[in-house]
Amino acid sequence: MPKASTYKANSVIYFQGDVGDKIYILQSGTVSLNSNDIETGEEIHDHIKTGEFFGVKSALGKYPREENAVVLTDAAVVVFSVPEFEQLALSNTRIVMKMLKVFSNQLRRLHTKVSGLMQGGTQSNPEDGLFRIGEYYMRKKQYAQAVYAFNKYLTYYPSGRHQADAARHAETAEQFAQKYGSGKGPSAPGFQGGSHGGNEANGGRGAGGGGGGGGQNLSDSAKAYYEAVSSFSREEFAKALEQFKQVAASGGDEEYVLKSTFEIGRCLFGLERYDAVIKHYTGLIQKFPKLPDLNEALFYLGRAYQESGDTARAGSFFKKILSMEDVDEGLRRKVNKAVRALEGN
Amino acid sequence: MDMNLAAFERFAVIFQKGDLLFCEYEPGDAFYLIQKGRVQISKIMGDIEKTIDILQPGEIFGEMAILEEAPRSANAVALDDVKVLEFNRANFEVLMRGNPQIALKLLKLFTKRIYDQRRRFMILTLDDVHAKVADVFLMIDESQSTKDVGTGQRVFYTTPDDIGHWAGISPEKSREVLQHFVSQRRVEIYQDRIVVRNINDFARFVNSRRKR
């Protein structure tokens, strides 16, 4: 049973740091909860109103009291043990609801303060944050999760600044999720981690989309391109070759035309048509000296020479790649492996 | 805790293993009570997804959304096929009246969360970066139940980067501060753990830096 209890003025019901399992209701008199503000160290005096509970959080949460409960004028209180308080709460949900509101307010305020003081203090705004979650899942090939995040973005920010990218990524993620499943398949364009020359020239896409009515055309190119990528990943090189050739000749979205042109070489390599590989990439490099995937093209050139027995030429291509600055780790490993194979011969 | 939830079956939502229940930054307007399966709470930091907690049936999450529609502070992922009861402000009061056990459970959850956040806030408001790092160890030590009393030595299975995260400083700064502690022979750093030679020494140090 809850117990009635009285305290004289200037006495203390509990001290900061005490571990107590009692919860109190003030019936009459004045009680002040005294503590120090965490941020400023300033003293805080919080006067309890008649009929108000105190000591609830520390008792329920089983942690030390956070303030001194000081009696200012003679006070009468009712003291509950935790089980007694729970009994009361179960039969009187209004009390709990009221406390829940107070607590969740406190928690929200604390949370905001803590976030503000975290590393850098530059918390992402929710719009950018949500978009970046989608990008993260794209990079990790967790396509279902990426679809979720981008779709949420589009729901909440239908005219947000990442709207176009989110819509495009959501579509790609959807396709990849169906085709390959989670964690499998090639990296989505723009999200290559290793094998594909790193940063794609995604900037070019915005310009291409500006041509009015280009939207439909663009997604056709994209779809055809992914079909081809899919064939390639199943090692159906002949089929992939035809598909990439079609995209390359379609005159559609420039980004996918270029990508497909590049992939033609990889298909030829898969088909062991090394002379054709050499011809293809040599021509491509002459035509586009600033090819985004230049490193990768040089690698296939080297490999094609190696397979055709021209180890001197192969070696000089590999050396050139290794001497370049922005070679990503994946490619560097592949080149080193090829060099070791050369030296083994 | 025995709860009569049959009446709430209409709020049940099923998720497949691997599904996102919600993701960080998404505006939240519901909270969940797990009925079946486990839910992983995680946060994406840089290029890794860090698990913060793994929740079991009977546990509640997303509770910050009760009062206001604020952005979620973490991702919730279904670790198994998961069944949850989904509550929002509209059905919340009905739930509470019909099932005060849940209300009580939620209340206890809030007391715990408030305590944890306050504790973190205490670290972050220290001005001295060395004190911040020391206080992170104190915080972790407080939550580790098995204590080797008698000696002040404590072992923490954590990394300098994690310590930096809790202290609200960069991983580089965290390593630099820890290195300083190493040179003072107060700390030893190993591949998988960090040893604090005397936790009481850290407690005194932090107290001397706290504003009063």
Side-chain angles (χ1 to χ4, degrees):
Chain A
M1 279 291 287
K3 280 198 319 253
S5 195
T6 54
Y7 289 87
K8 289 277 173 211
N10 298 319
S11 61
V12 175
I13 301 176
Y14 57 76
F15 286 95
Q16 185 174 10
D18 285 355
V19 179
D21 60 353
K22 297 287 186 282
I23 293 170
Y24 306 83
I25 300 183
L26 181 63
Q27 292 208 297
S28 66
T30 335
V31 172
S32 173
L33 300 184
N34 298 345
S35 58
N36 294 89
D37 185 271
I38 298 177
E39 249 174 316
T40 60
E42 234 169 85
E43 267 202 48
I44 299 173
H45 301 272
D46 201 356
H47 287 226
I48 301 296
K49 294 186 194 74
T50 312
E52 209 176 334
F53 283 93
F54 59 99
V56 180
K57 268 181 295 182
S58 44
L60 283 186
K62 300 190 182 79
Y63 51 78
R65 304 287 191 192
E66 285 167 341
E67 60 288 290
N68 296 320
V70 181
V71 180
L72 300 181
T73 61
D74 292 4
V77 298
V78 179
V79 189
F80 293 80
S81 67
V82 170
E84 285 163 355
F85 173 81
E86 288 181 0
Q87 274 310 310
L88 175 75
L90 289 179
S91 59
N92 194 339
T93 41
R94 213 176 40 83
I95 296 177
V96 184
M97 288 296 291
K98 222 173 142 188
M99 285 186 176
L100 274 177
K101 285 190 179 146
V102 173
F103 286 3
S104 72
N105 250 323
Q106 287 182 1
L107 182 57
R108 179 66 70 185
R109 279 207 308 274
L110 268 169
H111 196 268
T112 309
K113 284 186 184 174
V114 166
S115 306
L117 287 172
M118 284 306 286
Q119 164 62 46
T122 50
Q123 285 283 302
S124 303
N125 75 49
E127 185 186 335
D128 290 343
L130 188 53
F131 181 71
R132 253 179 257 130
I133 300 270
E135 288 188 316
Y136 169 85
Y137 283 125
M138 277 305 256
R139 282 198 299 278
K140 298 290 171 186
K141 300 185 185 178
Q142 289 177 256
Y143 297 119
Q145 286 86 343
V147 169
Y148 178 95
F150 287 129
N151 281 340
K152 285 288 172 185
Y153 180 92
L154 294 168
T155 305
Y156 291 109
Y157 308 102
S159 49
R161 92 196 85 181
H162 304 296
Q163 186 270 337
D165 286 335
R168 185 165 51 95
H169 294 334
E171 194 184 321
T172 309
E174 193 98 50
Q175 289 165 2
F176 276 51
Q178 277 174 18
K179 218 172 278 173
Y180 308 110
S182 248
K184 300 191 191 77
S187 294
F191 293 97
Q192 283 86 343
S195 67
H196 216 144
N199 19 354
E200 296 281 317
N202 263 348
R205 206 205 147 276
Q216 190 52 44
N217 192 10
L218 173 111
S219 94
D220 282 348
S221 300
K223 267 182 202 147
Y225 171 76
Y226 295 127
E227 284 298 328
V229 168
S230 165
S231 304
F232 185 88
S233 70
R234 288 194 302 270
E235 305 197 350
E236 294 170 12
F237 299 120
K239 188 175 168 195
L241 179 60
E242 285 316 307
Q243 289 169 319
F244 280 125
K245 274 184 174 166
Q246 269 177 25
V247 182
S250 70
D253 180 37
E254 197 187 331
E255 180 188 352
Y256 293 101
V257 169
L258 249 180
K259 279 176 191 297
S260 298
T261 309
F262 183 86
E263 295 297 331
I264 287 171
R266 297 216 303 160
C267 294
L268 292 169
F269 188 85
L271 290 167
E272 303 182 8
R273 291 167 57 186
Y274 302 118
D275 286 348
V277 174
I278 293 166
K279 201 171 147 212
H280 180 75
Y281 280 125
T282 309
L284 201 59
I285 291 170
Q286 275 165 3
K287 202 164 154 199
F288 304 101
K290 296 213 161 119
L291 193 70
D293 291 323
L294 179 65
N295 302 343
E296 188 99 3
L298 293 176
F299 172 70
Y300 280 104
L301 273 170
R303 287 282 293 121
Y305 279 116
Q306 183 182 4
E307 293 293 335
S308 348
D310 190 343
T311 52
R313 270 226 173 85
S316 72
F317 274 108
F318 294 147
K319 225 170 58 230
K320 179 154 170 61
I321 299 170
L322 293 175
S323 74
M324 299 200 311
E325 272 173 17
D326 55 341
V327 180
D328 71 73
E329 266 314 296
L331 181 61
R332 194 174 286 280
R333 265 199 303 277
K334 284 200 291 188
V335 173
N336 280 323
K337 198 176 149 198
V339 170
R340 277 197 301 277
L342 268 187
E343 286 164 351
N345 279 347
Chain B
M1 193 179 290
D2 128 65
M3 287 188 260
N4 174 25
L5 292 167
F8 297 100
E9 196 53 33
R10 64 199 151 110
F11 302 131
V13 187
I14 309 280
F15 292 91
Q16 312 267 301
K17 182 177 172 160
D19 281 354
L20 274 171
L21 284 80
F22 55 72
C23 71
E24 195 179 352
Y25 300 108
E26 176 187 337
D29 58 359
F31 74 98
Y32 302 88
L33 171 70
I34 307 176
Q35 293 215 291
K36 210 185 85 197
R38 294 165 306 156
V39 172
Q40 172 184 276
I41 305 297
S42 65
K43 230 174 141 77
I44 290 166
M45 293 172 186
D47 209 36
I48 47 168
E49 187 167 356
K50 249 181 136 59
T51 301
I52 298 171
D53 211 349
I54 290 176
L55 304 176
Q56 309 287 336
E59 292 196 78
I60 290 172
F61 63 97
E63 70 283 351
M64 301 254 280
I66 291 177
L67 264 202
E68 43 186 333
E69 198 169 292
R72 300 289 187 190
S73 57
N75 300 334
V77 185
L79 265 191
D80 309 302
D81 288 345
V82 161
K83 181 180 172 191
V84 293
L85 296 183
E86 184 180 81
F87 298 107
N88 50 40
R89 257 161 295 158
N91 65 22
F92 177 58
E93 300 242 5
V94 184
L95 166 76
M96 292 300 130
R97 274 198 297 275
N99 210 311
Q101 290 280 14
I102 294 187
L104 198 54
K105 197 168 179 161
L106 211 45
L107 198 63
K108 287 185 174 175
L109 188 66
F110 271 112
T111 63
K112 168 113 182 58
R113 296 268 201 274
I114 289 173
Y115 181 79
D116 291 346
Q117 286 293 322
R118 262 183 71 97
R119 188 65 188 85
R120 291 189 62 191
F121 191 52
M122 287 174 74
I123 295 173
L124 296 170
T125 48
L126 286 163
D127 287 329
D128 180 332
V129 66
H130 291 84
K132 278 185 184 176
V133 169
D135 201 22
V136 171
F137 287 108
L138 293 175
M139 176 185 76
I140 303 174
D141 186 50
E142 287 156 17
S143 65
Q144 287 176 353
S145 47
T146 48
K147 279 186 186 164
D148 182 9
V149 258
T151 92
Q153 178 160 314
R154 296 284 189 280
V155 180
F156 299 90
Y157 291 90
T158 182
T159 62
D161 288 21
D162 279 350
I163 297 292
H165 165 69
W166 292 111
I169 58 177
S170 69
E172 295 76 35
K173 190 74 197 166
S174 172
R175 271 175 245 139
E176 182 191 316
V177 170
L178 283 167
Q179 213 47 56
H180 177 73
F181 283 142
V182 169
S183 71
Q184 295 179 323
R185 301 177 50 76
R186 292 162 113 172
V187 156
E188 293 159 15
I189 303 177
Y190 299 92
Q191 196 75 45
D192 63 332
R193 64 191 192 280
I194 298 174
V195 176
V196 173
R197 301 279 288 266
N198 185 350
I199 197 80
N200 304 316
D201 159 59
F202 268 15
R204 283 189 293 272
F205 169 56
V206 171
N207 270 325
S208 73
R209 293 292 185 276
R210 187 95 61 207
K211 288 170 207 142
R212 290 276 168 203

